[in-house]
Structures are given as C-alpha cells and as structure tokens.
Amino acid sequence: MYQVYHRTPVGIALITADDTYITKVSIRDEEGLQETGTDSPLLKEAIKQLDEYFAGDRKEFDLPLNQPGSAFQQQVWQQLLKIPYGSTITYGQQSTLMNNPLAIRAIAASNGKNNLWIIVPCHRVVGSNGSLTGYAGGLWRKQWLLDHEARVMGKGQIKLPF
C-alpha cells in the first residue's frame, strides 16, 4: 500500500494506491501520516491528473480505481461517473437514473461512503431544492468544486441556496 499527500487549492489530498489501483483520495486540512511509495508511477499519475483538473485542463479522470463496497454501492458510484463535468443532479434524479426511485436515502448514504474524492464526483449531487448537502470534505469545498467546474465551462459561478 502506498500513500502520498498533495496540496490542492482546497486542501491536502491524501492519495492511496496498491500496485494496481488508486484505492482512496480524500481531502484534509493538513498532512498526517508518513508517506510511503512516493515513487509509485500510479500515485504520480494521480497527482498529474488532479493537477490538470485544478488547472481546468482535465474534465475526466483516467485512472484504474478500486474501492471496496457492496454491489449496490458500486452501482451508485458508477452512476456518479456518468454525471457530466460542470453539471449537477439531485439525489432524486440519481435514484431515477438508477431505476430505483425509492432508494434516495440509500443512494445518498452510498455517495457519502465514496472514498475517491473528485475522481468519482459525488460533489455533483445536490439536494432536491438545489441546496448543497452532505459532503465529507465540507460544504465550502463542494461549492468551490462546483464553481471551479462552472468557470472552466464558461458558466460563471454556480450559486446554490444554503
């Protein structure tokens, strides 16, 4: 298992990988545990792609990903990958897209267990009234990411009600 810390405009990303997959990308306010395997080509590629995302040059990630979860959680996370860059959907829309309209709470809970911050874009899911809800990295980061994508797409800032 390898891990590296990387500074981003919204905090310190902790990127974890094994020999084959990126297994976790989380955000924190400060560095913590010791880095291991910082010469890992996979970690270097993840850092490169995150930097491209923050520079506005990357809209989709192309990394081998693996995060543990139930079959249902895997379906939820796969649906997140289909949300276009610069767009948002509601939890209700996500449940409809998954042909499971009664599973809104379970889908929201699965979004909250997503361990691949930004790469699996759970920040693009908002409340039914357009409000920012539940983001492990903090709502200000969710707003920043949505505004960043809107600016890159030439849409200006997205102002959502709180």
Side-chain angles (χ1 to χ4, degrees):
M1 191 65 69
Y2 311 106
Q3 65 182 25
V4 66
Y5 292 95
H6 184 65
R7 291 197 181 280
T8 75
V10 291
I12 307 291
L14 171 59
I15 308 165
T16 305
D18 59 23
D19 289 326
T20 310
Y21 299 102
I22 298 294
T23 57
K24 184 174 185 177
V25 178
S26 61
I27 192 69
R28 27 187 342 126
D29 292 320
E30 56 190 47
E31 295 177 25
L33 304 171
Q34 183 175 355
E35 294 181 334
T36 57
T38 55
D39 59 340
S40 160
L42 193 49
L43 289 178
K44 288 179 182 180
E45 182 61 24
I47 288 169
K48 175 182 169 278
Q49 290 190 26
L50 280 171
D51 286 346
E52 291 169 350
Y53 170 86
F54 284 112
D57 298 330
R58 175 173 292 277
K59 295 179 178 69
E60 293 180 19
F61 291 90
D62 181 24
L63 295 165
L65 306 174
N66 185 25
Q67 64 175 320
S70 69
F72 178 77
Q73 288 171 325
Q74 297 296 333
Q75 290 173 345
V76 170
W77 299 330
Q78 285 302 308
Q79 187 63 49
L80 292 173
L81 291 169
K82 296 176 184 176
I83 304 170
Y85 181 96
S87 300
T88 60
I89 65 170
T90 66
Y91 292 101
Q93 289 170 321
Q94 187 178 6
S95 69
T96 299
L97 289 168
M98 292 180 63
N99 296 317
N100 203 341
L102 300 178
I104 294 172
R105 288 178 191 234
I107 288 169
S110 295
N111 284 354
K113 293 187 185 328
N114 171 28
N115 287 324
L116 293 165
W117 173 78
I118 295 182
I119 295 171
V120 176
C122 56
H123 64 276
R124 296 181 189 151
V125 183
V126 297
S128 60
N129 63 356
S131 64
L132 296 183
T133 59
Y135 190 64
L139 293 182
W140 75 268
R141 285 188 177 102
K142 185 171 186 167
Q143 181 72 62
W144 192 99
L145 294 169
L146 293 174
D147 288 344
H148 169 70
E149 291 182 8
R151 280 190 304 273
V152 170
M153 296 299 290
K155 297 178 185 176
Q157 290 185 327
I158 296 174
K159 275 300 183 198
L160 301 171
F162 288 100

